[in-house]
Amino acid sequence: MLASDVTELLRRSKRVLDCTLGGGGHSLALLEAGVESVVGIDRDPHALAAATERLARFSDLGRFSAVESNFAALDSLPALEGIRFDGILLDLGISSHQIDESHRGFTFRLGAPLNMRMGADSPMDAAELLNTEDERTLTSIFRHFGDEPRAARLAREIVRRRANAPFETSDDLVGAIRAVLGARSGAGDFARLFQAVRIAVNDELPSLERALPALRDRLLPGGTLVVIAYHSGEDRIVKNAFRDWSAACVCPPKKPVCTCRGRPLGTTITKRAIPASADELIRNPRARSARLRAWRSAE
Ligand SMILES: C[S@@+](CC[C@H](N)C(=O)[O-])C[C@H]1O[C@@H](n2cnc3c(N)ncnc32)[C@H](O)[C@@H]1O
């Protein structure tokens, strides 16, 4: 199970940074497994409030604290300035709680508002994005974040429809998707294309790309970074970063003499990405796209 993999990888840490606190499930498991202290970050104030309440007994003991922020802004948080950790966790994407709250607009359930902002740091919501971005940008969103072969047609359809009436609810986006993908399109297509819009609204891939080196530099020697990704684009960013950091030389291939750092910064612990177990999938079908990777900094 990915949750027990996370606990196993991080349980020997003294101080853990949980960059995606969500409902606080992983933080709770780590604190119960004996981790001395956990700092939780989430850009969603609702998640932060719920997790803080759930973990109140650990806050009272000085073992848990929480900060509202995008994890990509770690280096500008005065409360965490200069602090290093022996374990760092990223459990990316959105929580079940966020999906279940219809008014947050992460869902394609009928009549949900097109919101999808994880926190106040996302400048525009999904409706604004669909109503204002140009056709090329929309095509790129559906192609790159939604792996949609008919991305250009879908973008054109959205631009055509919004000229008559602005996009306001999930029904508007579902209607455009149905018009392009046909009547046989269903929940899987809606989930994939809504996820593409959510990734764009929250600038998720660039946030991850910016954050990874900063998080690596917050690890103590021998510290472990664990990332669970739910989207192939996210997983690729993590895989490439871990590969680069684990290489002794990162000079361009044709350079005759090595002028780079000339040593690995650490080791990739997971040879291959770990998927959710069959048991886990029965309990939580949303974990089907989850991939866990872990990296350890040099001693
Ligand atoms: C999959 S959930 C985490 C669930 C959590 N591990 C648990 O056990 O309950 C992901 C959480 O990360 C938060 N999140 C996603 N991207 C973020 C970012 N760039 N900065 C801060 N929080 C982020 C989301 O708001 C969400 O609450």
Side-chain angles (χ1 to χ4, degrees):
M1 230 174 71
L2 293 180
S4 48
D5 290 321
V6 168
T7 309
E8 196 43 47
L9 283 159
L10 297 178
R11 68 185 310 151
R12 279 169 290 278
S13 310
K14 279 192 177 148
R15 190 191 288 146
V16 168
L17 178 65
D18 180 350
C19 292
T20 48
L21 183 61
H26 283 125
S27 285
L28 177 62
L30 290 169
L31 287 160
E32 285 179 341
V35 168
E36 275 178 25
S37 69
V38 173
V39 177
I41 294 182
D42 206 295
R43 68 202 289 193
D44 178 352
H46 305 282
L48 212 70
T52 302
E53 200 180 320
R54 187 176 183 193
L55 298 171
R57 66 192 157 108
F58 293 100
S59 312
D60 295 345
L61 296 170
R63 294 179 59 198
F64 174 74
S65 58
V67 186
E68 181 184 329
S69 174
N70 186 322
F71 56 65
L74 180 67
D75 284 342
S76 56
L77 294 178
L80 299 182
E81 197 182 331
I83 302 182
R84 294 172 81 193
F85 300 84
D86 27 34
I88 298 183
L89 170 65
L90 288 159
D91 177 18
L92 298 165
I94 47 171
S95 63
S96 314
H97 196 64
Q98 286 166 325
I99 297 174
D100 293 341
E101 288 182 308
S102 271
H103 69 276
R104 302 290 303 274
F106 288 110
T107 168
F108 54 84
R109 234 170 276 140
L110 278 181
L114 283 168
N115 182 350
M116 304 197 194
R117 291 165 82 216
M118 283 185 190
D121 62 327
S122 300
M124 63 167 109
D125 66 16
E128 198 179 341
L129 181 140
L130 292 166
N131 287 322
T132 58
E133 290 294 8
D134 61 26
E135 201 173 309
R136 237 176 89 195
T137 307
L138 292 174
T139 302
S140 166
I141 290 170
F142 294 120
R143 181 169 298 145
H144 296 119
F145 305 155
D147 292 328
E148 176 49 59
R150 282 159 286 189
R153 278 182 53 202
L154 179 55
R156 205 175 315 130
E157 181 66 17
I158 288 170
V159 170
R160 192 186 67 77
R161 287 181 174 225
R162 76 188 186 194
N164 297 329
F167 279 57
E168 280 172 0
T169 69
S170 53
D171 313 20
D172 299 324
L173 184 52
V174 165
I177 296 171
R178 274 227 166 94
V180 173
L181 271 63
R184 295 226 319 262
S185 53
D189 300 299
F190 306 145
R192 179 169 51 81
L193 295 165
F194 271 63
Q195 182 190 43
V197 174
R198 187 205 83 209
I199 287 175
V201 164
N202 295 290
D203 201 29
E204 292 178 41
L205 302 190
S207 288
L208 177 63
E209 208 148 20
R210 271 200 315 280
L212 284 176
L215 293 173
R216 177 199 64 206
D217 293 345
R218 288 300 187 111
L219 282 175
L220 288 161
T224 306
L225 172 59
V226 180
V227 187
I228 305 177
Y230 296 82
H231 180 269
S232 58
E234 280 174 350
D235 185 49
R236 201 171 314 120
I237 291 172
V238 178
K239 181 174 144 186
N240 290 343
F242 286 6
R243 191 197 50 219
D244 285 358
W245 305 348
S246 305
C249 173
V250 287
C251 289
K254 287 193 178 145
K255 206 152 191 217
V257 182
C258 170
T259 53
C260 71
R261 61 177 186 250
R263 65 181 172 86
L265 299 174
T267 324
T268 303
I269 308 172
T270 43
K271 291 262 171 296
R272 288 204 177 83
I274 303 175
S277 65
D279 275 3
E280 200 165 7
L281 290 180
I282 293 169
R283 260 174 291 117
N284 177 18
R286 284 173 188 157
R288 68 188 167 280
S289 57
R291 296 287 176 270
L292 181 150
R293 295 183 190 270
W295 184 85
R296 184 158 294 144
S297 71
E299 295 281 350

